[in-house]
Amino acid sequence: MIRLRKFSLISFFRLLAVLCFLTVTCEGYSQRVPGKQIGSPLTDSIRPRALPGMPDTIPPKVVITADTVLASTDTTSFGEDSIPVQRTDTFSLKLSKDTLDAPIKYYAEDSMVVSLRTKEIILYGKTQTEYNSITLNAPTVRLEQSTQTIHATSLKDSTGAITEKVKFKDGEQEFESDLIDVNMKTQKALTANTITQSDQLFVHGEKVKKVSKDVTFIDRGFFTTCNLDEPHFGFRANRMKLVNKKTAISGPVHPEFEGVPVPVYIPFGYFPLSQGRKSGLLAPQFATNDYTGLGLERLGYYKVINDYWDAQLYGNIYSYGSWSANINPTYRKRYRYQGAMNFGIQHSKFNFKGDPDYSVQNTFTLTWSHSTDTRARPGTSFTASVNASSTRYNERVTNNPIQNYQNQGTSSITYSKSWEAGYNLTASATHNQNNLTRTYDISLPNLGFSVPTIYPLQPKDYAGERKWYHQLGIGYQGTALNRISFYDTAFSLQKIKDTAMWGATHNIPITLSLPPILGGAVVVSPSVTYSQVWVSRETIRFWDTTGRSLPVPQRDSVTTIYRQGFNIDQQASFGLSFNTAMYGTYQFKNSRVVAIRHVIRPTFGMNYRPDLSSKFYDDVQIDSTGKTFGFSRLQGGITQGYSRGRSGGISFGLDNNVEMKVRNRKDTTGENAYKKIRLIDGFGFNSSYNFLADSFRLAPISIYFRNNLFDKINITASANMSPYKYDERGYEIDEYVWSDGIRLGRITNAQVSMSTTFQSKPRDEEKAKQRDENVNNQLNDPVLQNERQRLLEYMQQNPAEFVDFNIPWQFSLSYSFGYSSGFDAALARFNNITTSTASFNGSFSLTPKWNFSVSGYADIKTRRLENFNMAISREMHCWQLSITVTPVGYTKSFGFTISPKSGILQDLRINRNRSFFTAR
């Protein structure tokens, strides 16, 4: 047994000082030695400077071989036959009350002073002290062993201005101060002129007392979302309590702007800082409208129901009597499913009674989005995207010109199940509505089932080269559909029953892959297809000379009646197709352009289809001259019958693209020495010729063109051309248009669209990259999925609040043209319809802080500007100002908004909106 002699407390501290001397890194003004940990012994002998008036008590050379007391072992031998016994001596050491529960690691770039008499260690020059979760960086630090406290002070220049502050970090809590006194054992601290951050809130305090790891009291506090040392704005309070990431509570509060107090006081302040979901009131915003008056919008309550569900209940109320109410529940279970729903009712009362424009209307809206995680149940999915409303709902929404122009609503609910063998089952429900015609089409349930291609002639266990007949495959696709249609102004169960339709389709494709011919240059693909369609309603047309069959008698007109039943139409087709590709290259010499390559992909096919549908066609007189037209009784339903007549002929087509290879001026030897440029992405035509038809053998010719010019201008165009002449009433006759000269044909329909976007380079590339990453993270964050649609709608309504000041200018332009010529059965003639529209938007920075933007939509055909919007925005560091004006459009409006950028102060905004519109 080893016995330790008692020694005095002074001797213990002397030994402690020696150990500290050997474990502290003091390198003067040099850098820290690479590879050494903070507080670890160094091989170089460094002598700390002594305090004034004290002798140097440390010898020049001190060598300590161990810094721990090792337990000795006592082994005693009792002979060769005896078993040696190992004994361990133990001892107990009583620690003093001022002992810490963990070591203190400290570092000083300048020097260190150790005082054995006062039990202090003073560090100079960019010091760093670590204890448990506490990290302290300061110009000067004094450690007191007796009180277990650390005193840190900032660095001042000759004028008294602070050039380097004290930085303190305890876990996730950080702050900067002029000076800090912290007790290492209790972790309590007292600071002066401190700045700390909690989430997006910056808190300034003249005196700050940290009483625990998360709770801080502040005297003469000032809190803001501006991250400058001298903030642009904030709220002043004499007393504050800050609970990290939970809440901030204060006494009487008043705002300050640029250091100027505003004489507006509130008795207390409560600022939630907690992350995650918390129940609470939703702050409303003021709005005004000439038709609804003054109002409060989005006034309501947010409720967290449980870990998976939450809900918002909010509404709008206006002085003229209009109001709306919405309930918006959201749900999410990680790795299982997530979704959101919104149901709203709207009571619109425009103007006062007696006014010529007075109107009252009740409308509703229902939206629902749902998605499942594919990892929850592999092979099974359920998705929903519902957007249904009254047909007058959108036009009655105030202060939202974009939603006022949305005239289409679609919904889809789908369940699908896949099996390992490849079978697939789909059940769905769909909805379509047209707010202009006031019509609804609801289709449910819709069923679909498919069988993958199977190869009955292919052996299960086969070795060697496959035979050509092994590639004979057969598959199946089937659908069953149901639909009802009605007008919202004439809704009744009887009318829904009259419009109910059902139908089904069946397709059995038979394919065969043959080996390529002509050395692999031509691919041959035979095919056989049998299909069948079930139709529940016949559409019968006839020439009515009396008009008695119509609700409103009209003589000498085509009359249409409907008859319910069960009708089966079928079709079989046989085909053989050939496909190849040809390349042509033109080489250039002594030019930056290396070559131009033209790729031609011709297609050719032979087909035969017997006539199985003539029994469902009627030749009906369509005018008083005796002109007839063939109508199918199986057209106009949820499923359509097939065309009549035999078909035996050929199909042909030609596709082209042109590319150019050029030398890269920036890289002439590396992998990017050459660059390919697409001159034309694709252009071509296709048609067919029926040898068995008695007339009109050549089918209409379809032509198309697509290109992305200079990778900036996207152009697409397509058209269908009839090769036949037509009479004075627009009817085709069996004569080709080129019989009288060189003509391509008569265009029956065409579409042309062009779009382009130009923008300057960002002022700061890194800032632009960070912005893109933040946007992508928000869009891909499943937690924010339920709020994504509402955020996108808000961005569309308030584009001036989301201006990117890092882009000096940008401009987008799109144009679309449409043409169609078709037979109108009601008017018994062909009508030509054209549309021509253009939309544009752009913005440019007047200065780095001012941005001007415009957007609009124009009808080129009527030469009318349908909608025009202007906005000017001002970047104010921590605030943003925007002014929007819509002088042209269904809704004319004016808006002024100034608000903080921070999300926690999103309701602290000055918002003034006025809108004017004419009811449809």
Side-chain angles (χ1 to χ4, degrees):
M1 180 74 70
I2 298 177
R3 299 182 180 273
L4 296 178
R5 292 168 48 184
K6 295 183 179 180
F7 56 95
S8 64
L9 185 61
I10 295 178
S11 301
F12 173 76
F13 281 111
R14 287 179 177 174
L15 177 59
L16 178 63
V18 173
L19 295 177
C20 291
F21 164 70
L22 293 176
T23 58
V24 175
T25 303
C26 300
E27 304 179 60
Y29 291 95
S30 62
Q31 298 295 327
R32 186 186 302 193
V33 177
K36 299 296 181 179
Q37 297 180 354
I38 298 175
S40 62
L42 299 177
T43 56
D44 297 336
S45 178
I46 302 175
R47 291 175 54 84
R49 61 187 181 184
L51 291 176
M54 293 185 61
D56 190 352
T57 58
I58 306 300
K61 294 182 180 180
V62 179
V63 179
I64 297 180
T65 58
D67 57 357
T68 58
V69 179
L70 301 178
S72 62
T73 59
D74 182 12
T75 58
T76 307
S77 177
F78 295 93
E80 294 181 359
D81 297 335
S82 300
I83 299 176
V85 178
Q86 185 178 38
R87 297 181 179 179
T88 303
D89 291 336
T90 60
F91 67 93
S92 60
L93 177 64
K94 185 177 181 181
L95 301 178
S96 62
K97 296 180 180 180
D98 55 3
T99 302
L100 300 175
D101 59 353
I104 300 177
K105 300 178 181 179
Y106 45 90
Y107 161 80
E109 186 175 287
D110 187 317
S111 58
M112 178 190 73
V113 175
V114 178
S115 174
L116 300 180
R117 183 177 60 184
T118 59
K119 304 175 186 178
E120 294 179 349
I121 300 177
I122 305 176
L123 307 176
Y124 295 95
K126 295 184 179 180
T127 69
Q128 179 171 309
T129 307
E130 296 181 0
Y131 173 72
N132 285 339
S133 61
I134 297 176
T135 302
L136 180 66
N137 296 89
T140 305
V141 170
R142 185 174 77 253
L143 291 79
E144 296 183 359
Q145 171 68 23
S146 58
T147 60
Q148 299 180 348
T149 58
I150 296 178
H151 306 274
T153 57
S154 57
L155 181 64
K156 299 181 180 180
D157 58 14
S158 58
T159 62
I162 296 176
T163 59
E164 184 179 353
K165 284 195 170 186
V166 180
K167 297 179 181 179
F168 179 88
K169 180 180 180 180
D170 186 0
E172 297 182 358
Q173 188 177 18
E174 301 182 26
F175 53 82
E176 294 183 358
S177 304
D178 290 353
L179 60 89
I180 294 178
D181 291 340
V182 57
N183 188 294
M184 306 301 288
K185 195 165 188 178
T186 63
Q187 297 190 11
K188 295 181 179 180
L190 186 65
T191 68
N193 297 327
T194 302
I195 302 176
T196 184
Q197 181 181 1
S198 181
D199 196 18
Q200 302 178 40
L201 189 67
F202 294 89
V203 181
H204 300 241
E206 292 185 6
K207 293 182 181 180
V208 177
K209 184 176 181 180
K210 184 175 178 294
V211 298
S212 66
K213 186 176 182 179
D214 297 319
V215 180
T216 304
F217 290 93
I218 302 173
D219 181 50
R220 290 288 299 166
F222 184 82
F223 47 95
T224 179
T225 56
C226 183
N227 59 358
L228 299 180
D229 291 342
E230 296 183 1
H232 293 116
F233 82 104
F235 300 88
R236 179 74 65 182
N238 291 330
R239 298 287 186 272
M240 287 185 62
K241 179 181 179 181
L242 180 66
V243 182
N244 191 34
K245 292 191 175 181
K246 288 188 177 181
T247 183
I249 305 172
S250 70
V253 181
H254 69 274
E256 288 187 5
F257 290 89
E258 297 290 353
V260 179
V262 178
V264 177
Y265 287 82
I266 55 177
F268 64 91
Y270 177 80
F271 307 91
L273 303 176
S274 58
Q275 297 180 347
R277 306 175 303 162
K278 296 293 181 182
S279 300
L281 294 174
L282 299 176
Q285 65 180 19
F286 291 94
T288 181
N289 184 282
D290 278 4
Y291 289 89
T292 59
L294 298 175
L296 290 176
E297 296 182 345
R298 294 194 66 86
L299 172 65
Y301 187 80
Y302 172 75
K303 174 64 177 177
V304 178
I305 302 174
N306 54 35
D307 292 341
Y308 309 110
W309 284 81
D310 59 15
Q312 295 183 51
L313 179 63
Y314 60 92
N316 306 335
I317 185 170
Y318 302 93
S319 59
Y320 288 180
S322 298
W323 57 268
S324 66
N326 293 73
I327 182 170
N328 178 210
T330 61
Y331 54 90
R332 179 174 182 265
K333 192 170 185 179
R334 190 181 296 271
Y335 307 124
R336 297 295 299 275
Y337 54 81
Q338 58 189 0
M341 182 180 293
N342 180 49
F343 176 74
I345 55 177
Q346 183 176 242
H347 176 78
S348 303
K349 183 184 292 186
F350 286 3
N351 298 310
F352 296 100
K353 290 184 178 180
D355 191 286
D357 295 329
Y358 175 77
S359 64
V360 178
Q361 203 163 57
N362 296 318
T363 56
F364 76 92
T365 180
L366 174 65
T367 61
W368 178 35
S369 63
H370 178 90
S371 62
T372 57
D373 195 319
T374 56
R375 295 169 294 184
R377 297 184 63 185
T380 302
S381 69
F382 177 77
T383 60
S385 177
V386 177
N387 182 19
S389 66
S390 302
T391 56
R392 304 296 295 271
Y393 180 85
N394 286 348
E395 68 181 52
R396 296 287 178 165
V397 175
T398 60
N399 301 322
N400 192 341
I402 294 180
Q403 189 171 353
N404 297 148
Y405 281 97
Q406 291 178 353
N407 295 317
Q408 298 290 332
T410 60
S411 304
S412 175
I413 303 174
T414 305
Y415 169 82
S416 64
K417 171 67 176 177
S418 300
W419 287 268
E420 293 184 359
Y423 302 100
N424 184 271
L425 173 66
T426 302
S428 64
T430 62
H431 145 268
N432 292 277
Q433 71 178 67
N434 189 312
N435 296 340
L436 291 178
T437 59
R438 316 294 188 203
T439 57
Y440 291 88
D441 293 327
I442 300 177
S443 181
L444 82 162
N446 302 328
L447 301 177
F449 183 75
S450 63
V451 177
T453 303
I454 58 177
Y455 301 92
L457 301 182
Q458 180 175 309
K460 293 183 177 180
D461 300 324
Y462 182 78
E465 185 178 357
R466 292 182 179 180
K467 305 297 183 180
W468 65 269
Y469 53 83
H470 290 169
Q471 303 300 315
L472 179 66
I474 183 171
Y476 171 79
Q477 299 94 32
T479 60
L481 308 173
N482 300 270
R483 188 178 70 186
I484 58 175
S485 302
F486 57 89
Y487 288 91
D488 66 342
T489 56
F491 177 81
S492 68
L493 295 178
Q494 181 61 38
K495 292 181 178 179
I496 290 179
K497 181 180 178 181
D498 293 340
T499 61
M501 293 182 291
W502 61 268
T505 61
H506 308 276
N507 294 287
I508 303 176
I510 301 175
T511 60
L512 178 63
S513 298
L514 297 178
I517 60 177
L518 300 178
V522 180
V523 178
V524 183
S525 300
S527 64
V528 178
T529 302
Y530 173 78
S531 58
Q532 192 178 93
V533 61
W534 298 354
V535 183
S536 64
R537 188 179 73 174
E538 286 186 282
T539 303
I540 302 174
R541 298 178 177 88
F542 60 93
W543 181 255
D544 189 358
T545 58
T546 63
R548 297 176 181 177
S549 59
L550 298 176
V552 179
Q554 182 180 353
R555 300 180 58 182
D556 296 334
S557 62
V558 177
T559 300
T560 303
I561 62 174
Y562 301 99
R563 183 172 60 192
Q564 298 291 337
F566 178 61
N567 304 278
I568 299 178
D569 195 7
Q570 53 190 345
Q571 175 181 266
S573 61
F574 309 88
L576 183 66
S577 63
F578 303 86
N579 299 274
T580 186
M582 297 180 290
Y583 301 86
T585 305
Y586 183 80
Q587 304 283 344
F588 291 87
K589 295 182 179 180
N590 302 323
S591 174
R592 183 169 176 258
V593 178
V594 178
I596 294 179
R597 187 178 70 169
H598 181 198
V599 182
I600 304 175
R601 294 183 176 87
T603 60
F604 178 81
M606 297 180 292
N607 58 80
Y608 173 75
R609 179 179 60 84
D611 183 9
L612 304 177
S613 304
S614 292
K615 59 182 179 180
F616 294 109
Y617 276 79
D618 299 320
D619 291 323
V620 180
Q621 180 181 342
I622 60 176
D623 59 21
S624 58
T625 63
K627 183 74 176 179
T628 60
F629 191 86
F631 291 97
S632 171
R633 298 196 302 272
L634 303 185
Q635 299 294 323
I638 192 172
T639 52
Q640 309 288 329
Y642 302 111
S643 59
R644 68 175 176 178
R646 291 189 307 162
S647 174
I650 60 173
S651 61
F652 50 90
L654 191 68
D655 182 69
N656 303 262
N657 68 65
V658 181
E659 294 179 340
M660 179 173 63
K661 180 186 287 187
V662 298
R663 291 184 174 86
N664 194 341
R665 294 179 178 177
K666 297 181 179 179
D667 186 359
T668 58
T669 58
E671 297 180 356
N672 300 322
Y674 298 98
K675 182 170 61 174
K676 289 184 179 180
I677 300 176
R678 286 183 173 267
L679 300 179
I680 299 178
D681 290 340
F683 72 94
F685 68 92
N686 56 74
S687 184
S688 62
Y689 190 88
N690 184 6
F691 293 99
L692 302 181
D694 55 358
S695 61
F696 302 104
R697 293 182 176 182
L698 181 61
I701 302 172
S702 299
I703 59 177
Y704 59 89
F705 175 85
R706 61 183 184 275
N707 194 22
N708 191 4
L709 191 61
F710 310 116
D711 291 331
K712 287 293 183 181
I713 304 176
N714 189 16
I715 304 173
T716 60
S718 63
N720 290 326
M721 301 178 60
S722 173
Y724 301 102
K725 296 180 181 180
Y726 57 92
D727 58 19
E728 65 279 359
R729 301 195 62 183
Y731 298 122
E732 292 183 343
I733 58 178
D734 193 15
E735 293 182 17
Y736 294 122
V737 294
W738 48 77
S739 60
D740 296 335
I742 301 176
R743 292 182 59 189
L744 295 178
R746 179 174 61 91
I747 298 177
T748 57
N749 59 76
Q751 298 84 31
V752 178
S753 63
M754 295 182 292
S755 62
T756 183
T757 298
F758 297 94
Q759 73 175 34
S760 63
K761 293 183 178 180
R763 293 188 175 94
D764 188 339
E765 296 284 352
E766 293 297 328
K767 187 176 180 179
K769 183 178 179 180
Q770 184 64 36
R771 176 187 172 92
D772 293 340
E773 291 178 356
N774 293 337
V775 171
N776 293 333
N777 292 337
Q778 292 180 2
L779 293 177
N780 297 325
D781 188 353
V783 178
L784 302 177
Q785 181 178 9
N786 299 330
E787 297 292 329
R788 190 174 306 155
Q789 185 62 34
R790 188 172 69 88
L791 177 60
L792 292 176
E793 293 176 356
Y794 184 82
M795 293 175 66
Q796 290 177 348
Q797 299 171 24
N798 305 274
E801 297 184 27
F802 299 91
V803 174
D804 187 1
F805 289 91
N806 195 34
I807 304 295
W809 62 269
Q810 60 180 356
F811 180 77
S812 298
L813 176 66
S814 63
Y815 172 80
S816 63
F817 173 83
Y819 169 83
S820 64
S821 176
F823 181 78
D824 190 330
L827 300 177
R829 63 183 177 84
F830 285 85
N831 288 334
N832 297 328
I833 302 174
T834 61
T835 60
S836 179
T837 60
S839 61
F840 59 91
N841 66 80
S843 66
F844 65 92
S845 297
L846 303 174
T847 69
K849 300 296 183 180
W850 284 96
N851 182 275
F852 179 76
S853 60
V854 295
S855 62
Y857 167 80
D859 190 333
I860 307 299
K861 181 180 178 180
T862 61
R863 299 181 181 180
R864 180 179 176 182
L865 187 63
E866 298 289 343
N867 183 265
F868 182 70
N869 179 271
M870 298 181 296
I872 187 168
S873 304
R874 175 69 163 90
E875 205 279 333
M876 304 168 64
H877 186 256
C878 47
W879 285 66
Q880 184 163 312
L881 177 144
S882 63
I883 302 174
T884 59
V885 180
T886 305
V888 179
Y890 171 69
T891 300
K892 302 176 179 64
S893 62
F894 167 82
F896 172 86
T897 302
I898 180 171
S899 61
K901 293 181 179 179
S902 174
I904 64 175
L905 296 179
Q906 59 181 347
D907 297 318
L908 184 66
R909 63 170 59 196
I910 300 174
N911 188 21
R912 174 67 172 173
N913 291 316
R914 297 195 66 182
S915 59
F916 319 86
F917 69 95
T918 303
R920 296 179 183 177

